[in-house]
Amino acid sequence: MERPEWPAVEPGAQLRANGCSGTAHGALRNGYVRGLPAPDTQIHHIVHNGGLYKKPFNEAFEETPMLVAVLTYVGYGVLTLFGYLRDFLRQWKIEKCQNATEREEQKDFVPLYQDFENFYNRNLYMRIRDSWNRPICSVPGAKVDMMERVSYDYNWTFMYTGRVIKDIINMGSYNYLGFAQNTGACQEAAAKVLSRYGAGVCSTRQEMGNLDKHEELEKLIARFLGVESAMAYGMGFATNSMNIPALVGKGCLILSDELNHASLVLGARLSGATIRIFKHNNMQSLEKLLKDAIVYGQPRTRRPWKKILILVEGIYSMEGSIVRLPEVIALKKKYKSYLYLDEAHSIGALGPSGRGVVEYFGLNPEDVDVMMGTFTKSFGAAGGYIGGKKELIDYLRTYSHSAVYAASLSPPVVEQIITSMKCIMGEDGSTFGAPCSSTQVSCTLYWTSFSLGCTDLELGGSDA
C-alpha cells in the first residue's frame, strides 16, 4: 500500500509527537493542540507505519486556561498548608476544633490509607464530600431525582431528611444513548423475560446457568461486531481483570497505554506477565517498546517472548481521546504481536452504525485479536463481552475465571442488551436506533455527559 500524499508543512514548522504539526497553534505533547486552529488551517496526522489509514486524523483539545490552573493549584496549596498547620496545633492541644480528626470509634480499625491519603481525606476531601456519592432515586436519564441529606459531624456521616430533590441535571451517567429507562421497548421486553425466567440464574455458564437467552445474545454480539464468536460476562470490570490472566502469563509481555482503565491494569498485574508502559496514544513510544522486545527478548535469558500483547482502549474515558487504531494495527502486524481492544466507551457510540472504533476508522474486525466491550454504557445494562475468533472464545469458555466461577447474566439484563442492540442495528422494526448510534449524536452525548471540554473532534474527509 502506498503512503498517502500529505499537504506540505510550512517552513519552520516542527513535527510533534504522534505526527501533529502546527506550532502556530502551540502543539503539545502527544498531539494535543492548544486551543482551536484557525478555520482555514488543518492539523494533519502523519501516518508513520505503512499508511494503513489514508485520511488525516485531526484531534484538538481545549487546554485549561492558565489562570484557572494556577488558581486551582494555589487553592490546593493553601488548603494543604493550613491542614498541616492545624494538625500540628491539634497535636499540641492548641486547636480546639477536632472536626478533621478521625472519630474515636474508628481509631481501633486498621488504617485504610497511607499518611498523605489520610491527611488529604480529613483536611481537603471532607470539606466537599457532600458533593460526591449522592444517591439518586430515579432512572439515570437527562435529569435525575436525588435524595436530600445533611451532616452534623463535618461530613463524616450523613442523615437523610426524607425529601427528594427533583430534576437534577445528569452530567455523569453512562446512559449515552438513553436505553436505561423505565419505559419503552427495552423495559417492556425485560419485564416479559423477568416474568418467564425470573431475576437470577443462580449458577455458572458451565453448570446450570446457560440459558437459551445467553446463546441468543452471544450470536447477536458476534454478528454485531463482525467476528466469528463472542462470549458475555456478568461484570464489565471482571471481563478485563479475569480474562487477561487467561490469555497471557509468565514469559509474556504486555504493552499498555499509560492511561488505560484500572480493570486493564489489574488484569495485566494478575497475569504475571511483564508489563511495560507506552506514552498515551504515542505510536513512536509503542514502536520503540516493540523493537526492544524483539531485539532483546526476555530479561537475563534473552529468550523470545512467548506472546506480546498490546492493551489499548477505543475511547479513553477520562481524556476523551480516541485510540490511533490504524497505526496500532499496523505496528501489531509489523512486529507479529497481539492486540486487545477495550471498547467499553466506544461501542455503540462511534461509527456510522454504532459498531465502535473499528467501524469508525473503516477497519477489518479480524485485525483486532481480542475485542472487548461492556453493556453498562450504550446498552443501558450490565456486564461485558469478548469477541474474536472461535478458537479464542472456546478457549476462554474453559479457562476464564469469569466463565468458570462467576454467575451467569441475569435474564432481564440479557433481554435489555438484546433489545437495545437490535434497536441500534435497526432490527427492531423502528428507526429509533439509527440516530442514536450515529457518530455525531453519540459523541455529543458522550462528551457532554462527562463534561470533558473536548472542543473539536473530526475525521478528515469523512462525515464524522
Side-chain angles (χ1 to χ4, degrees):
M1 183 180 294
E2 296 181 358
R3 179 167 297 185
E5 294 294 327
W6 300 95
V9 180
E10 295 182 3
Q14 298 179 4
L15 292 179
R16 301 285 174 153
N18 287 342
C20 284
S21 62
T23 54
H25 308 297
L28 303 178
R29 181 175 67 87
N30 291 341
Y32 292 112
V33 181
R34 181 179 290 111
L36 285 174
D40 58 345
T41 306
Q42 286 187 336
I43 297 174
H44 292 286
H45 176 72
I46 309 301
V47 178
H48 293 285
N49 301 301
L52 178 64
Y53 190 66
K54 291 193 174 184
K55 297 177 182 178
F57 187 93
N58 303 335
E59 193 175 45
F61 294 82
E62 181 182 5
E63 188 188 14
T64 303
M66 181 60 68
L67 178 62
V68 174
V70 169
L71 290 178
T72 301
Y73 283 116
V74 168
Y76 272 109
V78 170
L79 286 173
T80 302
L81 289 174
F82 272 90
Y84 279 119
L85 176 61
R86 297 188 72 177
D87 274 359
F88 175 79
L89 295 177
R90 290 188 194 100
Q91 184 177 0
W92 291 94
K93 309 299 183 182
I94 300 174
E95 173 67 66
K96 304 300 182 183
C97 179
Q98 302 295 319
N99 284 334
T101 58
E102 288 185 310
R103 309 296 89 175
E104 287 295 331
E105 58 271 19
Q106 295 174 323
K107 291 183 178 180
D108 292 333
F109 290 90
V110 177
L112 295 177
Y113 307 103
Q114 298 177 355
D115 289 341
F116 181 75
E117 291 173 325
N118 182 284
F119 166 83
Y120 178 88
N121 275 276
R122 289 187 293 103
N123 291 281
L124 279 75
Y125 175 66
M126 278 298 172
R127 294 174 178 268
I128 53 175
R129 187 185 172 205
D130 188 42
S131 299
W132 281 270
N133 315 122
R134 281 182 167 239
I136 66 171
C137 50
S138 65
V139 295
K143 294 182 179 180
V144 296
D145 297 338
M146 187 178 297
M147 298 175 64
E148 186 183 64
R149 64 184 183 182
V150 294
S151 176
Y152 300 103
D153 57 357
Y154 195 67
N155 290 339
W156 284 95
T157 61
F158 294 99
M159 296 180 61
Y160 295 100
T161 64
R163 292 190 292 270
V164 175
I165 306 174
K166 297 282 189 179
D167 296 332
I168 305 297
I169 297 176
N170 183 2
M171 296 291 287
S173 175
Y174 291 153
N175 188 18
Y176 300 153
L177 305 184
F179 285 118
Q181 301 294 332
N182 56 2
T183 58
C186 291
Q187 181 271 333
E188 294 171 2
K192 290 180 181 179
V193 169
L194 176 63
S195 64
R196 178 181 175 185
Y197 291 89
V201 182
C202 302
S203 184
T204 67
R205 292 288 300 278
Q206 291 193 353
E207 295 178 352
M208 299 294 294
N210 191 30
L211 304 180
D212 56 343
K213 282 293 176 182
H214 294 129
E215 300 282 349
E216 179 186 352
L217 171 62
E218 290 174 348
K219 291 178 181 177
L220 183 64
I221 295 170
R223 190 156 51 86
F224 180 63
L225 298 177
V227 296
E228 293 180 7
S229 185
M231 184 173 184
Y233 300 88
M235 182 181 178
F237 190 98
T239 305
N240 279 332
S241 60
M242 293 290 101
N243 281 294
I244 293 176
L247 297 173
V248 291
K250 189 176 181 181
C252 299
L253 175 65
I254 292 177
L255 302 180
S256 178
D257 190 289
E258 66 180 349
L259 297 181
N260 273 340
H261 188 262
S263 59
L264 291 169
V265 174
L266 179 60
R269 290 176 177 174
L270 291 175
S271 69
T274 301
I275 305 170
R276 291 175 184 166
I277 309 299
F278 62 90
K279 295 179 181 178
H280 175 55
N281 242 352
N282 190 312
M283 297 301 104
Q284 287 72 37
S285 176
L286 174 58
E287 184 166 20
K288 184 180 184 304
L289 291 179
L290 285 167
K291 283 182 179 178
D292 291 346
I294 299 299
V295 172
Y296 299 111
Q298 299 184 41
R300 295 191 298 275
T301 64
R302 300 305 179 192
R303 293 176 180 174
W305 296 100
K306 295 178 181 178
K307 297 176 189 173
I308 300 177
L309 181 65
I310 303 172
L311 298 183
V312 294
E313 295 187 52
I315 290 180
Y316 294 86
S317 58
M318 294 298 100
E319 289 71 34
S321 56
I322 299 178
V323 64
R324 299 184 180 277
L325 189 60
E327 293 169 86
V328 175
I329 290 177
L331 288 173
K332 165 230 165 185
K333 290 181 176 180
K334 181 178 179 181
Y335 293 97
K336 304 297 187 292
S337 55
Y338 297 94
L339 176 58
Y340 187 110
L341 175 63
D342 180 346
E343 292 220 69
H345 293 272
S346 54
I347 192 68
L350 281 182
S353 56
R355 285 171 168 81
V357 70
V358 176
E359 184 188 45
Y360 181 68
F361 285 107
L363 302 174
N364 188 345
E366 293 183 358
D367 290 334
V368 180
D369 300 288
V370 185
M371 298 184 68
M372 178 271 172
T374 63
F375 305 122
T376 54
K377 284 81 178 177
S378 296
F379 303 99
Y385 67 83
I386 282 184
K389 293 187 179 298
K390 187 177 185 302
E391 294 82 1
L392 168 70
I393 303 305
D394 290 343
Y395 173 85
L396 290 176
R397 291 187 194 279
T398 304
Y399 293 99
S400 169
H401 286 76
S402 292
V404 177
Y405 300 110
S408 304
L409 273 167
S410 170
V413 173
V414 172
E415 188 63 24
Q416 163 77 20
I417 301 166
I418 292 173
T419 307
S420 58
M421 190 173 292
K422 285 184 176 180
C423 183
I424 293 174
M425 297 170 70
E427 296 183 2
D428 64 331
S430 72
T431 59
F432 175 73
C436 276
S437 61
S438 67
T439 305
Q440 186 174 0
V441 173
S442 57
C443 277
T444 304
L445 285 170
Y446 178 84
W447 277 291
T448 300
S449 66
F450 272 90
S451 187
L452 290 174
C454 179
T455 57
D456 181 41
L457 179 66
E458 62 176 74
L459 201 61
S462 74
D463 296 331

